[in-house]
Amino acid sequence: MKTLYPLLLSAALLTPVASPALAADDFSACLAGLRGDAAAKGVNGDTYSRYTSALEPDMTVIEALDYQPEFRSPIWDYLAALVDDERVADGRAKLAEWGDTLRAVEARYGVDPETVVAVWGVESNYGRNFGKRPLVTSLATLSCFGRRQSYFRGEFFTTLKILQEGHVAPEHLNGSWAGAFGHTQFMPSTFMRVAVDFDGDGRRDLVDSVPDALASTANYLVRSGWRSGEPWGYEVKLPQGFDESLAGRKKRRPLAEWVAMGLSRIGDEPVAPHDGPAALLLPAGAAGPAFLVFRNFDAIYSYNAAESYALAIAHLSDRLKGGGDFATPWPTDDAGISRAERRELQTLLLERGHDIGEVDGMIGSRTREAIKAEQARLGFEENGRAGRKILDALRPPASPADAAPR
Ligand code: CA
């Protein structure tokens, strides 16, 4: 029976991710094999050697590539964290700090400061969150293991070209597991297509130059069809018994048709200053907020190909202009909570003895398990969600006067 062990071991070795040693061997061979392809894309031999000779793979990016979230947040959770008072206040501070630059960007590209700053706030929390993974390591690993290798090879070679051309300091070229980097979280190929040198130092630096990053964001939106002076869209009120199947970002029709169907803009402003095609978005169905969106919404959408993401940027830009929350509440009795409230919830969970790690406002699996345990104790639905209901239940009474009567 002794032979069973070696058999099991060798079976384990057949799985690349299970063996760091084997992965490293494969990695060296893979990188050697890619040298010629890199040269064909304009990466010279010196550059290739300098940045790949001592490289070791980071197999955690392959895990990230294959990760399937078991928990999907409802849109009101997503927006509550991305567009909270803290991000609005931070954005207003950035509008003041970078006012001259933002006005110059608007003069050249026709994109208003609030929209540019809203993209910045959602993409990297105004430059606080670039991602910590060295780009060359991540993209080289993704070029040699896992799915979509040919796509990531293109991004890998482009990253080496960015370094070869001296745009970004190599030690600062860190980003997400997939290779998005800098204030604007561009992929390397997007950088090559769209990034601009706005501070005039000859480098397109989306990591260490805020002017380059802000102008590159505006340039991205313009290239995606942004039209100066037009709104992204606005919240509307639906008529009684409205047919939900008419909603959808691609189901555009002339604004006059929507008006004829009984849709009206919330507030006192006219329906639109123009008469382009419009689409109706119902992110939570007809019972929640409804939005008519125009061409500029599609420009924002192209940044990350997600409607909830585009709505977060659009809404943040409105908040930065002085607008308020949506008029129609989300259809839930357990609303989403801000990042400050998430940190408060985590602190309350720690005080109750749950081992959730650091209080960082990020709701990971350990925080969710702790929430589930508290939900079970309280007789709530055990969904692990960080919402208003569990936060209120765990909060101590505000003052002795609020406590239960004696
Ligand atoms: Ca520059």
Side-chain angles (χ1 to χ4, degrees), residues 196-205 209 212:
V196 296
D197 169 26
F198 201 69
D199 60 15
D201 69 350
R203 298 157 61 232
R204 300 187 275 162
D205 189 347
S209 168
D212 286 7

Side-chain angles (χ1 to χ4, degrees), residues 247-252 278-281 293 297-298 301-302 307:
R249 194 177 55 86
K250 292 185 171 169
K251 297 181 182 173
R252 301 178 187 92
L280 176 69
L281 293 189
V293 298
F297 185 86
D298 288 326
Y301 173 89
S302 72
E307 284 173 14

Side-chain angles (χ1 to χ4, degrees), residues 172-301:
H172 292 175
L173 194 51
N174 303 314
S176 74
W177 66 266
F181 71 98
H183 289 277
T184 58
Q185 294 287 290
F186 281 0
M187 289 297 289
S189 56
T190 307
F191 172 99
M192 275 300 177
R193 232 168 8 93
V194 174
V196 296
D197 169 26
F198 201 69
D199 60 15
D201 69 350
R203 298 157 61 232
R204 300 187 275 162
D205 189 347
L206 301 186
V207 177
D208 289 315
S209 168
V210 170
D212 286 7
L214 298 178
S216 297
T217 294
N219 190 39
Y220 185 96
L221 292 171
V222 169
R223 299 274 198 102
S224 306
W226 184 269
R227 286 194 191 159
S228 189
E230 293 185 9
W232 62 267
Y234 38 68
E235 190 180 352
V236 293
K237 193 171 181 303
L238 300 177
Q240 285 289 322
F242 183 80
D243 177 6
E244 272 189 55
S245 71
L246 297 174
R249 194 177 55 86
K250 292 185 171 169
K251 297 181 182 173
R252 301 178 187 92
R253 53 178 78 229
L255 199 55
E257 282 187 31
W258 292 114
V259 173
M261 280 187 256
L263 274 76
S264 57
R265 184 170 183 178
I266 286 176
D268 299 329
E269 293 186 68
V271 170
H274 67 102
D275 198 22
L280 176 69
L281 293 189
L282 300 175
F291 307 93
L292 274 181
V293 298
F294 310 112
R295 189 186 174 101
N296 284 352
F297 185 86
D298 288 326
I300 298 171
Y301 173 89

Side-chain angles (χ1 to χ4, degrees), residues 121-183:
V122 168
E123 282 294 328
S124 67
N125 196 19
Y126 311 109
R128 290 192 190 94
N129 244 338
F130 285 166
K132 294 191 176 111
R133 295 170 187 270
L135 228 61
V136 173
T137 299
S138 300
L139 289 170
T141 305
L142 290 161
S143 294
C144 291
F145 303 100
R147 300 180 285 117
R148 304 184 68 198
Q149 288 178 25
S150 70
Y151 164 73
F152 285 114
R153 284 174 187 187
E155 298 294 338
F156 174 45
F157 301 151
T158 305
T159 301
L160 295 175
K161 279 202 79 174
I162 291 169
L163 291 168
Q164 181 172 291
E165 293 176 7
H167 294 295
V168 179
E171 66 275 19
H172 292 175
L173 194 51
N174 303 314
S176 74
W177 66 266
F181 71 98
H183 289 277

Side-chain angles (χ1 to χ4, degrees), residues 287-372:
F291 307 93
L292 274 181
V293 298
F294 310 112
R295 189 186 174 101
N296 284 352
F297 185 86
D298 288 326
I300 298 171
Y301 173 89
S302 72
Y303 216 100
N304 214 358
E307 284 173 14
S308 50
Y309 167 90
L311 191 60
I313 289 175
H315 184 44
L316 179 56
S317 73
D318 281 353
R319 292 283 313 270
L320 291 173
K321 288 170 185 164
D325 282 332
F326 300 134
T328 306
W330 294 107
T332 175
D333 63 355
D334 188 8
I337 58 177
S338 68
R339 287 169 297 160
E341 289 165 332
R342 288 171 187 219
R343 294 192 294 269
E344 182 189 352
L345 175 59
Q346 288 180 318
T347 304
L348 292 166
L349 291 168
L350 277 176
E351 284 169 8
R352 292 187 156 270
H354 297 285
D355 176 23
I356 59 152
E358 296 260 310
V359 171
D360 57 5
M362 311 281 281
I363 306 300
S365 55
R366 287 204 284 176
T367 300
R368 275 199 289 276
E369 285 308 313
I371 292 171
K372 270 188 201 165

